[in-house]
Structure formats: C-alpha cells, structure tokens
Amino acid sequence: MLVLLAVCVMALLTLGYFVYGSFVARQFNLDDKQATPAVTRQDGVDFIPTRPFYLLGQHFSAIAAAGPIVGPIAACSVFGWGPSLLWIIFGVIFIGAVHDFSALVASIRHGASSVAQVAREHLGKRAWIVLTAFIYIALLYVIIAFTDVTAQTFRGLSDELLARPETINKGGSVALASVLYLSLALLMGTLQRWTALSRKLPSWLYTVVFVPATLGCVYVGSQFPGILNIADIRLWYGAILAYCFVASLLPVWLLQQPRGYLGGWMLYIACGVGVLGILFGGFEVKRPAFESPASYSAFFAGGEGSPAMTGLIFPLLFVTIACGACSGFHGLICGGTTSKQIAKESHCKAIGFGAMLLEGLVAVVALSTIMIVSKDQSSGRAPGVLYGDGLAMYLTSFFDRASLQDGTWMRSPVFTVAATFGAMAFSTFVFDTLDVSARLGRYLLTELTGVKSRAMGMLASLVTVAIPLLLLLGPASQKSGSVPAWQLFWTLFGSSNQLLAALTLLGITVWLRRSGKRCWYVALPMAFVLTITVCALLLQLFAGAREVVQSGWTWSPLVVNAIAATLLLGLAGIFIVEALKAVRAKVPG
C-alpha cells in the first residue's frame, strides 16, 4: 500500500505542476522582456540576479524548514494518515503553490516589495500598518515554535530513544553536525565572494566540494557526540536565538545564500532517501488511516477528562499541517528575499510553484516516517526524532537489511550515522527558516519606523529575538495538561501562518481585480483558508478564556495563545474591511 500511495502522490504532484501550474502561470502573462528588480536594482547585497537552480535550492530550504515535517507527523498521530495525506495533496496543489507563485509574481511586479508594501499600494496605509503588525506577530510565533523544536532535538535524549545505555548521544551529534554545517556555509560564502571577483574557480566546483563536505559534517558529529552534549534546554534557546541575531545582520552572500544552497541539497537528499525507502525498502503501513476524532460536545462541555482542543479534526487538521499544504510565511520569503534574486519572470513558475510542490513531497515523506511505526513505537517521541529515525530506517534497509528483519536495527552502526543525518537534516531546515525570520523581522520594524540606519537594524533584530526568548524561558514554555507546550504553540503558529496566507491572497485578489484580471483561482483558496483559520483562532480564544475562568490568570500556553489570537483576529478584521473598501473604490486612472 505504501508504494502505491507514493506513486499516486508523485503522479498528482507532477500533473499539478505541468497542468494547473501552467494554467496559473498563463494568468499572469510572464514576460522575460520585462527586466526584474534583481537586474534593475542590482547592488551585490540584497538585489542579486541568481541562477534558477541555485536560487531554487535557497528558496526551497528557506520555505521548507520544520513545517512540512512536524505538521504531518503531529497530525497523523491524532487524526490518522488518511485525512493528513488528502489535505497535503489538495492543499499544496490548489492553495499553497498558487499562493507562493502569485506572491512571488506580485512582489516582482511591485519592485520586489514585501506583501505588506503591495497591500499599501492597493489597500492604503492603514492596511499596510495592520498587515505589517500581523506579519510581525506571526514571525514571532515562527521563531518560538522552531526554536523550541530545534532545542528539543539538540538536548540529547537518545538513551531513551535507542533503548541501550552505551549508545551515542544523538542530540550532541546533531548539535555538532549543525554547527559544522553553518561554519561550512560561512566558508563557502567567503570563498564565493572572493572567486566572484577573481574569476578563478568555476561555480560547479563548490557543489562538488561542499555538498559532500556537508555530509561529512554528519559523520564527524556522529563520532564526537559529547562535545556539544548540553541537556539544559535554556542554553540552547539562548544559543539558537543569538545565532539568529547575528545571522540576520550578515550580508545574504555570506551566509544565507550558501547555507540555503547547501540546505537545499540536504532537502533533495532527504527526499531522495525517503522516496527510495518508500518504494524499495519493503516497509508496511502500521498506523491506521483514520483515528477517532475528539468530540466537539465533550470539548465545549469541559470538565475532567474532556478532550484537548488539538484533537478536533476541523479546523485543527488544516492548521496543524500548515507549511506542508499552505503557508503564509512563504509569501514573506517570496517578497523578502527571493523576488530580489529572480533574474527572469519565467523563473517564477519553477521557483514559486515548483518549490511548493517539492515541499508537499517533503510532507509526504515525513508522513511516511510515522506510518511505518506502530503507535507504541511512536508514543512520546518528538516529530523531529520520528522523522530522523524514519530516514535512518530507510537507509538501513539498503545497507543493513538483516538488522531490520531481526529487530536489532537500532543497534546497527548504519542506523547510528543515518539517524544523525536525519536529525541534522531536520535541524538544517529549521535554521534556514529561523535566521530568515529574524531578518524579515528586522525589515518589518525598520519599515514601520522609517529609520533605516545600522543601529536601528541591530535594535530591530534584537527585539525580534528577545521576545521569543522571554516567552520560551518563562512559564508559558511549560506543559498545559497532557499537551506539550510546543504543540500548543504550534497550533497558534499554524493558525496565524495560514491566516497570513489568506490575507496575502486577499491582497493579491484586490490587485488582480483592480487590474481587470481574473482572480477566482486566488479568491477561492483565500475564502477556504480564511474560514478554517478564523475558526481555529476562535477555538484557541475560547480555550484560553476557559483556562482563565477555571485556573485564574496565568502565563500558560493556552492563555498566551488566546491573547495572540485576539490580536490576530482584530488585525485581520481591519485588513478585510480595508480590502472590501479597496474593491469598491474606483480604480485610479
């Protein structure tokens, strides 16, 4: 069954790109004769015309991150793999890819502006301020959720996972491998800058040297697990966010571009391992297609034994699998960094539409890693751990199949190195999103203040990482009942992320309509995503309010999420009103 499902999914994604992707691209009349902002405003820092394959890797790694991995695994454990798979396929083709592609084209057509600046031009200053504030809050939750998940991966609790005391500390291995990977990216960026001026080395040589070196980081990490064996998660919070602060201030050529390119290769390799393991590894589906959803009446009734909000299939299934199907964060990447590097308009289809479909494949591979283990085997294990160990099982099936057959695969040396690769691949994707989020936060705050000095940029970056650090170190980072805090933060992250996608699509709908073009292919996805996200935020507001009534005022995840949900709903409401006014207004000229 697993093989049949994989073949069907890949066929549908391929058809989605060549059929529906081509249809959507035709609506925008892409024209290579029109010079892109990367060409007209080339400055060697932010605006740099970039080869499509190089840019695809950078863009792909920036948008993928932990979203298409954590979401599908978390959703499968609660709702089953059937609903999860259906939403990934439907969402990524008809909603997510349309959102990313249209956001990228809209940004290019508006001078590589952010989605907030596009809204300002067509909806007015108030809409711009509201959307900027909304985006900033959403970015903070991206940083909170991904920092927490990465820190959990670095903690090094593999004794419990591998069930033998003499095993390596996988958390320490992943942490060391990740640090080496980031150092490698800095070296690559420095060398590329030097050779770009001297013209001494061909660009393909970097791929031949640095991609294998990245895999070498995995092996080194697996051999020296004790160097960064730090169990205190608070130290990892501080270290990760300190990295984000520094990385957000560096030129894109020094870290973001090379790290994104290498991260893209890690994604390609991880996807390749996953697809080959699914097709030829001989694994069976051990999880049920459908889990019994939580009762709505029992949830609203409350009381002892009432189900958690995260078990309500509508709308929580959709916002749990946020990035794997549709993500508003992608629009920020499109308008924040990618649009400044598009050399020709025709590249938008492959990079905008195509990269999102690749992310759908990442989500399916992640989903498969929990489908091949039983409930008992997956119970209590974080999504990043399940993903890393799933990829390791796929690799082990090719190099040490006997250990899988006799049940000793966790003790296999092949599994040890492969599990480090899988977990490092996971953390690699997260780093790509974390520092980009911090950079975008700096952009937004400097845009709002209108002060673009270096000191203001540093202050904006500091504020952007300080708020998540305070929340992660505070009582809100603790559990709420039986649900881990990261899962509750993830629910708010998914809700805000997809509501941002809906608002982005709404802004694009207004732009297309005021330009006299067809817009139903963005308007219908916008209406669907807007409905599910508003419902999800209302549920979180209700859950937080009930927590206050029952337990008093506390900084629990439920209460923090309820406050954020209230702010996001208010901002979204104002933006929608401004959009309706803009649609009714007479088009200038």
Side-chain angles (χ1 to χ4, degrees), residues 219-234:
Y219 179 77
V220 173
S222 68
Q223 300 305 303
F224 301 96
I227 295 178
L228 292 179
N229 179 20
I230 302 173
D232 191 341
I233 197 170
R234 295 172 298 178

Side-chain angles (χ1 to χ4, degrees), residues 60-108:
F60 183 31
S61 62
I63 67 171
I69 297 172
V70 175
I73 292 175
C76 180
S77 65
V78 179
F79 307 113
W81 59 263
S84 303
L85 186 61
L86 289 174
W87 168 232
I88 291 170
I89 296 172
F90 170 81
V92 77
I93 295 174
F94 297 104
I95 301 178
V98 174
H99 166 272
D100 289 17
F101 174 79
S102 58
L104 181 57
V105 176
S107 176
I108 291 172

Side-chain angles (χ1 to χ4, degrees), residues 75-83 287-294 313 375:
C76 180
S77 65
V78 179
F79 307 113
W81 59 263
R287 302 280 306 201
F290 298 93
E291 299 279 2
S292 299
I313 192 168
K375 284 187 177 183

Side-chain angles (χ1 to χ4, degrees), residues 365-434:
V365 169
L367 184 64
S368 73
T369 61
I370 188 174
M371 291 169 63
I372 62 175
V373 295
S374 65
K375 284 187 177 183
D376 291 339
Q377 291 175 316
S378 62
S379 178
R381 301 170 71 187
V385 173
L386 286 169
Y387 175 77
D389 287 357
L391 291 185
M393 290 174 67
Y394 289 146
L395 280 171
T396 305
S397 69
F398 294 112
F399 299 104
D400 191 6
R401 183 178 291 272
S403 66
L404 287 172
Q405 294 172 343
D406 61 21
T408 61
W409 50 275
M410 283 190 174
R411 294 179 171 85
S412 168
V414 174
F415 178 84
T416 297
V417 177
T420 303
F421 164 75
M424 182 210 164
F426 173 80
S427 62
T428 295
F429 310 154
V430 178
F431 273 124
D432 292 341
T433 294
L434 277 173

Side-chain angles (χ1 to χ4, degrees), residues 30-44:
L30 302 180
D31 184 5
D32 285 346
K33 295 180 181 179
Q34 296 290 330
T36 63
V39 175
T40 60
R41 300 173 61 183
Q42 185 174 177
D43 60 8

